[in-house]
Amino acid sequence: HINLMIDRLDNKDFDKLLEIFQTCFSDAQIKFNNNTLTSCAEILESAGHIKQALDVYYMLLSQQNDDDGLQNKIRSLEKKFQRKI
């Protein structure tokens, strides 16, 4: 469902979505499950916001640090982020 939503968003919608995520993440009272965090990270990555996507993936890693796929994803994005700088 998330991927279908992403395909229909234009840049201004991504900006609004980022604003919503930032508001939610800044509220320590809101707890997110792993699926929600993964979806958020994927949306951020799709929008080209690699640093913010990494931040969300780091949050996920702190909850499930034994996930090899997640660790590989983070390494891949870190390399991508370094090339972008």
Side-chain angles (χ1 to χ4, degrees):
H1 304 295
I2 295 293
N3 291 335
L4 291 175
M5 184 178 76
I6 290 170
D7 292 340
R8 294 186 190 144
L9 293 176
D10 60 28
N11 285 339
K12 70 179 191 295
D13 293 327
F14 272 121
D15 291 341
K16 184 63 177 171
L17 196 56
L18 284 173
E19 182 183 323
I20 292 167
F21 287 158
Q22 289 170 342
T23 301
C24 290
F25 287 139
S26 67
D27 185 346
Q29 300 301 313
I30 296 176
K31 302 295 181 208
F32 297 96
N33 67 36
N34 291 347
N35 289 338
T36 302
L37 289 173
T38 300
S39 294
C40 290
E42 290 170 352
I43 290 168
L44 290 165
E45 183 182 355
S46 294
H49 298 281
I50 305 302
K51 172 67 172 100
Q52 292 87 346
L54 275 169
D55 290 342
V56 177
Y57 281 122
Y58 292 142
M59 290 172 63
L60 266 169
L61 188 63
S62 72
Q63 296 174 16
Q64 54 188 42
N65 60 7
D66 61 342
D67 185 335
D68 289 338
L70 179 58
Q71 292 175 5
N72 290 336
K73 180 67 170 178
I74 288 172
R75 279 193 289 275
S76 172
L77 279 181
E78 286 172 339
K79 288 177 186 175
K80 196 176 199 179
F81 182 68
Q82 290 300 321
R83 286 192 298 257
K84 193 175 179 182
I85 295 178

